[in-house]
Amino acid sequence: MSPLLSIDNLSAVSRRDGKPILRNVSLHVDSGTIHGLVGESGAGKSTISKIILGIVSGGVVVTSGSVMLGANDLVRMPEREKRVLIGSQMALIPQDPLTALNPGRRIGDQLTDSLRMWKGMGHKAAWARGLELLDHVAIRDPQRVMGLFPHHLSGGMRQRVLIAAAFAIEPKLLIADEPTTALDATVQKQVLQLLKRLQAEHGTAVVFVTHDLGVVAQICDAVTLLFQGKVMEQGTAETIFNTPSHAYTRALLAASPRYDDPAAGLNPIDDAVIAACRAEVAQFDGAQHA
Amino acid sequence: MVDTSLAQTPHRSWQPALRAALGDPKVLVGGGFIAFLIVLALGADLLAPHDPLAQDLMLGSLPPVGMAGAEPGYWLGTDDLGRDVLSRFIHGTRTALTVAFIAATIAAVVGTFVGLLAGYFGGWVDAVVSRLIEIWMAFPAVLLSILIVAILGSGVHSVIFAIAIIDWTRFARVVRAETMAQRQTDYVTAGQVLGFSRLGILAGEILPNVLWVVLGLFTLELGLAVVIEAILSFVGLSVSSDTPTWGGMIAQGRGIIYQAWWVFALPLAGLLATVLAFNQLGAGLRRSLDPVMQR
Amino acid sequence: MIELVAKRAGMAAITLFGVAVVVFVLLRVAPGDPIAMMIGPGATAEDIVRLRASYGLDQSLFNQFWIWLGSLVQGDFGTSISRRVGVGQLLLERLPATIELAIMALLVAIVLGGFIAIIGTLWRRHWSVGAVDGVNGLLLAIPEFVWALALVLVLGVALPVLPLSGRINPSLPTDFKTGFYLLEALLTLRFDLALDLARHMAMPVLALALPLAGIIARVLREALGEAMMQDYVTLARVKGMSELRLILSEAMRNAVGPTLALTGVQFTFLIGGTVIVEKIFSYPGLGNMAIDAVINRDFPLIQGLVLMFGVIFILINLIVDFAVVAFNPRLRHG
């Protein structure tokens, strides 16, 4: 079976100075699996997710490669068709639940947008379904919450609402953009469990963007490690965690808080490893120019 | 210790600023038209082809040259009393610009002075000034100006006074805010530490740095003043009716608009172009001076 | 909430009193004797004294003010010197015409300004936004006086499609029960009258509305641009909403609040502008009467008019304050 999402040889540069942002990235996500996209800030992980979602800023120019969702190439699709495809088949769980809900619209309206737009539901049917969705993400008194404005809810509650909204149309592909970084540790864990549960129920493919390998270990099936827009290592979660082959992966693992033992402490990433990674990127750029 | 090198006021040199301004197309177009108007105003007696007051009922309501029935020499036609429209327009320019420049200058000087005081001394001085500005802004400008002119009696002096008394607040508000910002800067603090007098700091350190803000406002104010003068002379409260003004011509032209629309149209076009020119000049000056003067 | 209303009302009363004092003093120190202007050259000294006394002008300034303020509180605004009719009656006669004019202008400004802001936001990454900037710049640069005159020339004379002056064609029946002619004509379904009223109002309304539309467009565009960069708009975009829908249903509701506050202040300027615009179009409202009153040095009428404008300004500011609260869900459902 071919993968649901296939990114092949994707490269992008900055419009301003032409510097590479993505360097020949390929990754494949099968239906029903969670793919961790891991890297430090500036590694290009959020650029990739934005390209998939069609919300990349004008400052980024895709120079080559393709992003296929099934048989459709998102890089080359006409804008209008792309909007419909993304809206009806994908969803985003954003990073910051405090800014991702419109302060001027009621929770119920924001939750049921996609249902009304893509499931052909009327206002009443969508509202009823919204109640179920909230109930399903363990929000108490959904009737009341539907009528509230975002500022009435806590960060954890808002993230639950956003997750419920993301799963509302049963998307084929879900992009989770560091959905737990803005939350505190206990809420973080609950949200991850919730996400995992819903994903399993719906058989959704997920691209999980994060800088936290601990989180990856908890929920991902496959992992792609990025450094300066280049794939450093790629494989199943098992392989990455048990037999990492790239020095960067090993350094990152050593630097992460141990998911099984959070008290173990942090080691900073060795400068030598970073230097080696930079050299690898420079060598790649050299080969491109030659 | 304060580094004494900071006590050097960053004297923004006007030369690069001027060069930047002259390279700006908005400044060139707007400023060019204003310069043209100034030439008209200064040289009105030489440039006007006829005596603006000379009536000749035999030559009444002549259309502009190019239309049927026009008389050569009366380029833009005559009004119902046979007075040359172009000549009246040129002399009206003189009134418009004189009033605008004097009124805007008074408003700028008074407003800047009050704004400097309020911004620099703060405290009760600022409280009084701020309250005063608030009350001032509560009056509708047109009503206030008409009221003032009605009280003082019509005439150029009243019009100038009315404009200045309405619009000094525009300068005071902005200069006050700018002065407050300047007061926080290093070189002013350094000046205080070095023992410069308050007045010395105000005049020597802060004033030169708020002047460029005043310049932009002044340009816009000129445009506004031209309009207020036109409104007052339109209503008949400006200079006496035998001095040609744009507003007066418009009012007169409004009455004979079906017989001689050009009497109405020319001063209106002049007013419109003047407002736009000051606007462009102001926008261009702000755009080109901002980066230079802000460093 | 009640506290807020009471506080605002108190401040409004103080401002109003201040306006009354200022106007009263200004007018009393003015040179020029209104009584002398009223009577013919044949009048005797006794006539003048009697007339003076009948208008209370023989009392001290201080007494004149308190007499005037006292009668004001009782609803007596004095008698117009030039028109010899009660000032209160004159104000009430003219007020509806100005209110209709100002509200229509406000509505037109909101619709036009909103339209320009939406188009400008929609085209914000396209070169064609330059055209929107140009139109917006013109609206901002040209004051209502110049618009009014330009409209007279273009729509009144060159292409004579609209009437040049007045409020209604004098040959039409004007048996209105209220002063709100347009509203009344619409409510009583007399559309021929409504159309004629609308045609008479069109030019003054446009002249007043265009500068305000420019300001609304600029502020709203800025607020919309700001809102369009927020995370919730990005999320809505992923949901598949079209750009227009993002602007209208996501960004607009959060951009209206900041625009509203400024629109309120600018609306008071628009009311100030009715003075000259009504004069230009001989529209029988307060502003037109104000200019005549000033030219005739009609003290009681001027005072009544300025107080009336003061009341209008203060009311608008109150309404805006509450409207801003109403448009902010955070304040509304705090």
Side-chain angles (χ1 to χ4, degrees), chain A residues 58-80:
Chain A
V60 177
V61 187
V62 174
T63 49
S64 65
S66 61
V67 178
M68 307 291 291
L69 183 77
N72 299 296
D73 185 350
L74 293 166
V75 173
R76 285 167 192 85
M77 259 177 119
E79 278 302 316
R80 210 184 158 77

Side-chain angles (χ1 to χ4, degrees), chain B residues 12 59 62 81 106 112 115 123 145 214 240 258-259:
Chain B
R12 287 108 189 249
L59 293 171
L62 290 177
L81 300 174
I106 296 174
T112 305
S145 59
V214 174
S240 63
Y258 290 107
Q259 302 93 289

